[in-house]
Amino acid sequence: MGLSAEVNPASLSAEELWQRCLEVIQNNFGSNPAPIRTFLSAVHPLSLNEGVLTLRVPSQFFYEYIEEHFSRLIVRTLRRLLGPQARLEYHVMTAAEAAPMRLPSQELPPPTVFPGLRTGQPFPTNLNPKYTFENFIEGECNRLARSAGMTVAQRPGQTAFNPLFIYGEVGQGKTHLAHAIGNYARLLHPEKVLLYLTSERFTQEYTEAVRNKKVSDFLQRLQSIDLLIVDDIQFLVGKPATQDMFFHIFNHLHQKSRQIVITADTPPSELRGMEERIISRFAWGLAAPLYPPDYETRLAILRFKLRQEGIDIPEDILVYLAENVQSHVRDLEGVVIQLLAETSIRRRELSLNLAREIVSRFKPMRHRAITVENILKVVSNYFKIHVDELTGKSRRKEVAYARHLAVYLARKHTRHALKALGEYFGGRDHSTILHSCQWVQEMLHLNQELNRHVQDLERILLRAS
Ligand code: ADP
Ligand code: MG
């Protein structure tokens, strides 16, 4: 196109240069450039310095994607305009830069309060800076665990939440929350010593220490820690020697009021194959669940992740996705990635049809949303109580109990307003419905049996629909 003939390279700004690159990219990507334009509109030319154009991109995904698909075109354009030394560089935005989103309740201090003050840490923390509270979306499903996590990060070892035991099924955010606690504590308490370990890593390091006759070094290191995070403790099951070592360290840290954070895929009482004395130690602190995300939280997470990737999505598509991808937060992320890939790599229009297609690709995902009828049927089967009784007037204890659970599940898994739910449950008014929900919500933390009933029912519901 002879671009070089008409410009004086010295006079180009980063903006102008980037505009040129965009033109070239669009000319090269054929008939339907709109999705690429959308994609690239999230990219900003940051600076042009001595032939180096720096692009600010919203996330790692963008960086990799641009590298793979556009960088050759961009660099070719740069060289044509600026000369053979021209180069392309990226600045990947942090989560805070990318999505300066207000959290609904607790405020975090700005991350610049303690610049370079760190003194305590004699070995790597193993913390992944990518997982923070800023990008851990709060919702009904994680409220207790999240706020307890923030509390222990603020005052490690100084609260009743010791240990803080976080449990939930795979993909519900245990690892994210575990790192977030560590990262936040590191920010607030630069003098403290922190360590994040998976229980496999713990086992590995201990086994190695035994082999190399370095057990006392290992012990010394772990006992010096102010905040110890052990992820996926269930993998210590069936390893009695490692459990013994863990027990020893746990007691030492706890006695010295050091903070311990543990995650697992079940509540402590259900850690089968774990020594009883260890399980009873876990009960000293707080066990906080992470439940599958409810509709509101799914919506918030999708919105957040899409915004992070710089994607503008019509509300109806967002709602469709939040309604139909219900099992794991991880699947929500999968959807975002696929959406990005389809609209940018394959250059397809962001439509409801595309959303449907993507949803259907996720095997564990459901094509049908859970309905109140489903819930009534499942609860009825589970407790052997007729649906008519559940929606009727009976005040028998078992019936009222099952009804409370059904109402709670309906509120959590469908989008009906309280008033509409009242209709489903035999014309009850909205405050009765609300009361049931609140009662169950509270009991989830206090009553293990009820907690198990809810989990069982949810498992059945997710499988059935
Ligand atoms: P687990 O350890 O329970 O299997 P992860 O912590 O690995 O789950 O979470 C799976 C993915 O979902 C991660 O990428 C994590 O960042 C994301 N995720 C989970 N919960 C949330 C949340 N509340 N807000 C934002 N992202 C979340
Ligand atoms: Mg995990």
Side-chain angles (χ1 to χ4, degrees):
M1 289 177 81
L3 280 172
S4 55
E6 48 188 86
V7 290
N8 169 10
S11 68
L12 275 177
S13 68
E15 279 294 339
E16 291 162 351
L17 191 57
W18 179 234
Q19 280 312 316
R20 297 290 183 142
C21 293
L22 286 178
E23 281 163 25
V24 173
I25 290 171
Q26 291 193 358
N27 288 338
N28 275 270
F29 275 79
S31 57
N32 182 15
I36 296 177
R37 207 179 309 130
T38 312
F39 184 90
L40 290 176
S41 66
V43 176
H44 292 285
L46 206 55
S47 62
L48 175 61
N49 242 330
E50 322 227 306
V52 180
L53 176 69
T54 304
L55 297 179
R56 193 183 66 192
V57 293
S59 70
Q60 184 72 16
F61 178 88
F62 268 77
Y63 157 67
E64 287 169 14
Y65 185 76
I66 293 173
E67 254 309 278
E68 190 174 334
H69 296 275
F70 304 125
S71 67
R72 260 180 303 139
L73 262 180
I74 297 173
V75 171
R76 214 190 307 151
T77 311
L78 293 182
R79 299 218 162 124
R80 206 185 313 153
L81 293 174
L82 302 177
Q85 266 75 46
R87 273 189 300 124
L88 177 62
E89 283 187 2
Y90 302 88
H91 169 77
V92 179
M93 290 160 87
T94 62
E97 283 175 293
M101 203 166 108
R102 292 281 88 191
L103 291 168
S105 55
Q106 279 145 318
E107 296 282 316
L108 296 171
T112 45
V113 191
F114 307 100
L117 256 182
R118 298 196 40 231
T119 51
Q121 194 67 38
F123 41 75
T125 62
N126 300 336
L127 288 169
N128 185 342
K130 165 177 136 183
Y131 295 129
T132 64
F133 279 113
E134 282 93 342
N135 59 17
F136 189 79
I137 305 300
E138 180 177 15
E140 221 33 66
C141 54
N142 61 37
R143 191 155 283 141
L144 178 69
R146 184 177 171 283
S147 73
M150 277 191 145
T151 305
V152 305
Q154 284 158 350
R155 299 194 290 136
Q158 304 304 305
T159 69
F161 307 156
N162 201 13
L164 173 60
F165 188 103
I166 298 165
Y167 65 93
E169 288 167 28
V170 65
Q172 305 300 16
K174 300 182 294 295
T175 298
H176 186 138
L177 193 52
H179 283 282
I181 292 169
N183 284 320
Y184 190 29
R186 184 155 69 150
L187 189 72
L188 295 176
H189 308 285
E191 76 291 352
K192 290 202 189 297
V193 181
L194 274 55
L195 185 65
Y196 166 93
L197 286 175
T198 60
S199 70
E200 289 110 317
R201 180 79 182 267
F202 180 90
T203 307
Q204 213 177 358
E205 293 198 9
Y206 173 55
T207 315
E208 234 157 76
V210 171
R211 184 162 355 106
N212 301 329
K213 305 207 166 38
K214 292 238 163 89
V215 174
S216 69
D217 289 359
F218 175 78
L219 250 181
Q220 208 176 11
R221 183 164 70 99
L222 276 130
Q223 291 184 344
S224 74
I225 290 166
D226 296 303
L227 169 59
L228 174 65
I229 304 168
V230 182
D231 200 1
D232 284 329
I233 196 91
Q234 71 273 11
F235 293 119
L236 288 192
V237 162
K239 295 174 183 145
T242 313
Q243 281 187 37
D244 271 354
M245 181 42 84
F246 177 76
F247 184 71
H248 189 77
I249 292 165
F250 182 101
N251 281 336
H252 179 94
L253 295 180
H254 196 274
Q255 248 165 33
K256 296 192 135 184
S257 297
R258 312 282 180 71
Q259 182 68 45
I260 302 151
V261 176
I262 290 161
T263 79
D265 64 351
T266 62
S269 58
E270 288 173 33
L271 277 170
R272 284 175 237 294
M274 196 79 152
E275 284 180 49
E276 204 44 55
R277 55 181 189 153
I278 298 186
I279 291 175
S280 73
R281 288 293 187 274
F282 292 160
W284 287 357
L286 174 75
L290 289 175
Y291 294 118
D294 47 277
Y295 172 75
E296 300 296 334
T297 315
R298 295 198 299 270
L299 202 59
I301 289 175
L302 274 171
R303 200 171 266 141
F304 179 84
K305 305 234 172 211
L306 286 162
R307 189 188 316 175
Q308 237 183 350
E309 300 297 351
I311 298 187
D312 234 352
I313 188 169
E315 194 64 16
D316 59 328
I317 300 183
L318 193 67
V319 165
Y320 176 81
L321 292 172
E323 275 177 353
N324 288 281
V325 182
Q326 303 193 347
S327 49
H328 299 304
V329 180
R330 193 169 281 154
D331 290 345
L332 293 174
E333 289 189 324
V335 165
V336 171
I337 300 287
Q338 296 237 353
L339 218 51
L340 263 174
E342 286 294 342
T343 53
S344 49
I345 299 175
R346 301 186 58 197
R347 286 178 273 144
R348 294 179 56 184
E349 196 90 42
L350 182 47
S351 66
L352 206 50
N353 271 339
L354 176 58
R356 282 202 193 96
E357 189 186 316
I358 288 176
V359 165
S360 73
R361 282 182 208 160
F362 281 74
K363 255 277 174 288
M365 280 186 203
R366 275 131 353 75
H367 303 228
R368 251 183 319 138
I370 294 176
T371 62
V372 180
E373 287 86 357
N374 284 152
I375 291 170
L376 283 169
K377 209 159 23 158
V378 167
V379 171
S380 159
N381 275 336
Y382 187 82
F383 290 112
K384 306 286 174 249
I385 293 172
H386 200 277
V387 170
D388 290 344
E389 274 195 289
L390 288 175
T391 59
K393 298 272 176 263
S394 168
R395 297 186 173 205
R396 246 174 56 226
K397 223 167 124 200
E398 308 82 56
V399 178
Y401 177 80
R403 187 183 297 134
H404 281 320
L405 296 194
V407 168
Y408 167 83
L409 291 168
R411 173 79 174 147
K412 179 169 169 188
H413 292 281
T414 74
R415 298 188 57 214
H416 298 295
L418 292 170
K419 191 158 174 295
L421 286 179
E423 301 295 322
Y424 276 104
F425 285 86
R428 291 179 155 77
D429 71 18
H430 81 278
S431 64
T432 310
I433 299 297
L434 191 60
H435 172 78
S436 290
C437 297
Q438 288 169 341
W439 183 80
V440 174
Q441 194 76 51
E442 204 165 297
M443 283 300 148
L444 278 173
H445 308 310
L446 304 173
N447 182 331
Q448 296 248 347
E449 193 188 22
L450 177 143
N451 193 312
R452 209 192 58 240
H453 287 155
V454 169
Q455 290 209 17
D456 281 354
L457 288 166
E458 286 187 326
R459 217 167 291 141
I460 298 167
L461 276 170
L462 289 172
R463 232 186 292 127
S465 46

